[in-house]
Amino acid sequence: MSEQITGAQALVKALEHVGVDVMFGLPGGAILPAYDPIYDSSIRHILVRHEQGAGHAATGYAQATGRVGVCIATSGPGATNLVTPIADAQMDSVPIVAITGQVASGSIGTDAFQEADIRGITMPVTKHNFLITNADDIPRAIADAFHIAGTGRPGAVLVDIAKDALQSMTTFKWPAEVSLPGYKPIMDPQAQAVTEAVALIAQAKKPVFYVGGGVIKANASKELMEIAELVGAPVVTTLMALGSFPDSHPQHLGMPGMHGTVAAVTALQQSDLLITLGARFDDRVTGKLSTFAPNAKVIHADIDPAEIGKNRIADVALVGDLAHTIKALLPVLKSAFKNDRPDLAAWWQQCNSWRERFPLGYDEPEDGTVSPQYVIERIGAAAGPDAIYVAGVGQHQMWASQFVKYEKPRTWLNSGGLGTMGYAVPAAMGAKVGAPDTVVWAIDGDGCFQMTNQELVTCALNNIPIKVAIINNESLGMVRQWQTLFYNQRYSNTDLHSHRVPDFVKLADAMGCVGLRCESKEDVDRVIAEAMAINDRPVIVDFSVHRDAMVWPMVAAGTSNDDILVAKSMAPIWDSQEL
């Protein structure tokens, strides 16, 4: 007769079966039965200071490693504190599984203590979710959850388990296979679509590779390099795709979008073919959608058929895993190019002229304060392309995307779709746990940092020595930039007064970390070197920077990419004759 164990023991055993090595969580009443077998498990549990930190840590772990991240919380407020990181992971197609306790099944729907319908709450922001009320169902639910989260288009999956299911006795049965009749991701594109895509590429005079985060999710950077060099067209990589194609490669025009390079934005606008790989025509890339790349035909390759035609109609749809898709395209392209290779010389002449006329750069502050772009540039130079850089949301995020050079996938982590302030510190924690031998820098703003910095206590106590650069402009910087440009400098509620309150150096010391401060350009390299030399504790560096530095270029929200701006003059750089 098979051994009888509790549902809680079955849960932990199931997590061990799927290969979980670490999870981030915080116990409470409804999930407490699960914490007893966790005590004896080989799985490392990291006790966070807030459930939101657990969710973002799971995301950072998943983004850095490509594996499914795991977070665990109790019912009610414990579960609802996971909603933001769950939504964040789902928007950025990050594979995480969130496990939550629920009140006993007989109490569901009675407004019992710490009850929340977390399944209903998260239904719109998960790839799938489960409510388990029978202990026998736990192993299959975990197997299914990890399969769904990590295959196809990755995403967030929630498993909510009633307390009595955790306490009941069951016989552990691991499913021999995952059988989900309604869930069968398409891996290989249709042969006819491949032929049609190659025909469009062969005819194009102004093609551009528009590369999104799906390339990184599919581990298809090698294949991207091969097809990009074969076709010879310009490559632009979105905020979520930085590192999928080396910044240093001569075909790389940079990042497109609201704060993209002039060359990348304008190449998309003027192209006659968008070879779209794992991108979703996000509004931050397209600007006013009706004016985006008006003369371009579209090849759209994505594993999620729901993305094809969602925002922009595709002339050719390639539904499938991107690595498989590119591998299918390559031999057909090589055959087509044997006799008639496209001549892109004139197109490159145009693209290079934009790149030369409008390189990324910044002005040094006239008042002698430190340029935030300079600080971030120097961190990138010191840590190099093998480090992992994790950004919060706002100006510092954009500067980190612009002035750090990304050469490899999974070295740039940020909250792209949801734009979650407070993401950086816990996500950096998760990334460092997943890649313990890699230098991890969180580049954060003073506003973002104050939302989740309590997880530095978690880092200090668990030997997770991340490095945090606070780009301290005493403001909610991106909002202040908009107030400067669009609200007549009426700075309503964007002043954080964070030059000394809190004192970030003292705060770091109080949390068991090393705190450093830098207030002059001359000290930037020295302080970064000091931070780089400390590897036994977390390090927080408070960089006091120029308050009114702005992110340029900029496409104002709701305007056409043709109206891209590069300075406070707010005059578009192009007129109709130039384009």
Side-chain angles (χ1 to χ4, degrees):
M1 186 175 173
S2 299
E3 180 191 2
Q4 288 274 295
I5 60 174
T6 65
Q9 290 171 312
L11 169 64
V12 173
K13 199 168 181 178
L15 293 171
E16 291 170 345
H17 258 271
V18 292
V20 174
D21 60 351
V22 65
M23 54 186 171
F24 304 87
L26 191 73
I31 197 66
L32 194 58
Y35 270 78
D36 188 64
I38 286 173
Y39 190 82
D40 300 314
S41 174
S42 61
I43 300 171
R44 180 186 183 189
H45 179 280
I46 294 175
L47 176 63
V48 297
R49 267 52 197 167
H50 190 286
E51 291 91 352
Q52 183 177 350
H56 291 316
T59 295
Y61 172 92
Q63 287 177 308
T65 64
R67 303 182 67 199
V68 178
V70 183
C71 53
I72 183 168
T74 196
S75 64
T80 59
N81 281 342
L82 286 176
V83 172
T84 295
I86 286 170
D88 180 271
Q90 180 68 7
M91 280 281 274
D92 285 342
S93 305
V94 179
I96 69 166
V97 169
I99 298 161
T100 52
Q102 183 55 273
V103 299
S105 55
S107 298
I108 291 174
T110 68
D111 291 334
F113 177 67
Q114 289 194 332
E115 181 187 359
D117 177 11
I118 196 62
R119 189 180 186 211
I121 289 167
T122 61
M123 192 79 75
V125 293
T126 49
K127 188 175 177 184
H128 191 66
N129 59 26
F130 300 84
L131 171 60
I132 305 301
T133 57
N134 186 328
D136 296 344
D137 296 335
I138 290 173
R140 178 168 291 281
I142 293 299
D144 290 351
F146 276 76
H147 179 71
I148 293 167
T151 58
R153 179 180 181 172
V157 177
L158 174 91
V159 183
D160 191 34
I161 310 175
K163 186 173 185 177
D164 54 324
L166 292 171
Q167 293 171 319
S168 300
M169 301 306 290
T170 184
T171 301
F172 185 84
K173 291 180 184 172
W174 188 248
E177 61 177 354
V178 173
S179 177
L180 297 166
Y183 177 71
K184 286 189 167 45
I186 298 167
M187 298 302 286
D188 297 298
Q190 293 182 339
Q192 179 63 31
V194 170
T195 303
E196 291 172 4
V198 169
L200 284 183
I201 294 169
Q203 295 161 13
K205 300 285 189 275
K206 297 179 178 181
V208 176
F209 282 96
Y210 164 27
V211 177
V215 168
I216 293 174
K217 304 299 186 297
N219 297 311
S221 293
K222 182 181 169 206
E223 290 80 4
L224 170 62
M225 176 70 76
E226 192 172 352
I227 194 171
E229 291 189 335
L230 175 63
V231 176
V235 178
V236 304
T237 51
T238 68
L239 183 69
M240 295 307 298
L242 296 179
S244 63
F245 192 79
D247 279 1
S248 60
H249 196 285
Q251 284 174 242
H252 191 239
L253 294 186
M255 182 177 77
M258 178 175 271
H259 295 294
T261 66
V262 172
V265 171
T266 309
L268 287 177
Q269 286 301 95
Q270 295 300 301
S271 66
D272 64 3
L273 177 66
L274 300 180
I275 307 167
T276 310
L277 304 175
R280 56 188 180 87
F281 293 89
D282 176 71
D283 63 288
R284 282 303 193 256
V285 169
T286 65
K288 187 178 179 182
L289 186 60
S290 61
T291 67
F292 177 66
N295 300 314
K297 289 192 180 325
V298 173
I299 297 168
H300 196 171
D302 203 289
I303 197 164
D304 183 358
E307 284 298 339
I308 310 290
K310 185 180 84 176
N311 293 329
R312 174 70 176 255
I313 299 299
D315 295 276
V316 176
L318 293 166
V319 179
D321 176 87
L322 279 172
H324 291 220
T325 297
I326 298 172
K327 284 174 183 172
L329 285 167
L330 283 167
V332 186
L333 272 170
K334 287 173 183 173
S335 176
F337 285 1
K338 269 183 187 173
N339 303 318
D340 187 20
R341 188 177 182 83
D343 182 4
L344 303 181
W347 178 224
W348 267 113
Q349 187 176 4
Q350 203 171 10
C351 291
N352 284 330
S353 73
W354 298 325
R355 183 154 55 180
E356 289 159 14
R357 284 176 65 189
F358 298 103
L360 274 178
Y362 55 90
D363 296 324
E364 289 290 345
E366 294 177 1
D367 61 1
T369 53
V370 182
S371 158
Q373 298 97 321
Y374 177 76
V375 170
I376 292 167
E377 193 172 51
R378 297 310 299 160
I379 290 171
D386 291 327
I388 293 172
Y389 303 88
V390 187
V393 170
Q395 289 180 314
H396 63 278
Q397 174 193 26
M398 294 298 104
W399 290 322
S401 73
Q402 292 173 332
F403 296 107
V404 175
K405 300 305 176 192
Y406 301 100
E407 301 293 310
K408 302 176 181 180
R410 303 192 185 279
T411 56
W412 162 247
L413 316 184
N414 79 123
S415 171
L418 198 63
T420 307
M421 291 181 68
Y423 165 92
V425 168
M429 174 173 72
K432 184 68 174 176
V433 170
D437 298 327
T438 301
V439 172
V440 177
W441 271 98
I443 297 174
D444 218 359
D446 49 317
C448 286
F449 179 74
Q450 291 183 75
M451 292 194 171
T452 51
N453 63 54
Q454 69 274 1
E455 297 311 332
L456 287 167
V457 175
T458 310
C459 291
L461 292 174
N462 288 277
N463 189 29
I464 308 169
I466 65 171
K467 305 179 193 301
V468 182
I470 304 173
I471 307 302
N472 186 354
N473 59 6
E474 305 174 54
S475 303
L476 298 171
M478 189 63 89
V479 187
R480 181 179 172 90
Q481 174 167 332
W482 280 51
Q483 288 173 333
T484 299
L485 298 175
F486 307 117
Y487 291 89
N488 299 316
Q489 300 179 39
R490 289 162 56 83
Y491 299 118
S492 174
N493 291 284
T494 47
D495 190 338
L496 291 172
H497 304 283
S498 45
H499 182 55
R500 286 289 184 270
V501 181
D503 183 322
F504 290 124
V505 173
K506 288 181 179 177
L507 185 63
D509 183 59
M511 292 193 287
C513 307
V514 176
L516 305 173
R517 180 173 285 120
C518 179
E519 297 179 307
S520 70
K521 183 177 180 180
E522 293 71 32
D523 286 339
V524 168
D525 282 357
R526 177 188 60 78
V527 173
I528 292 171
E530 191 175 345
M532 290 289 290
I534 299 168
N535 293 301
D536 59 345
R537 283 173 292 169
V539 184
I540 293 87
V541 187
D542 180 6
F543 288 99
S544 183
V545 300
H546 182 57
R547 186 169 208 178
D548 283 310
M550 291 199 185
V551 183
W552 301 109
M554 179 180 181
V555 177
T559 66
S560 168
N561 284 350
D562 290 336
D563 298 327
I564 190 168
L565 312 166
V566 294
K568 276 189 190 177
S569 65
M570 295 295 286
I573 61 172
W574 304 123
D575 59 36
S576 58
Q577 292 177 331
E578 281 189 283
L579 292 175

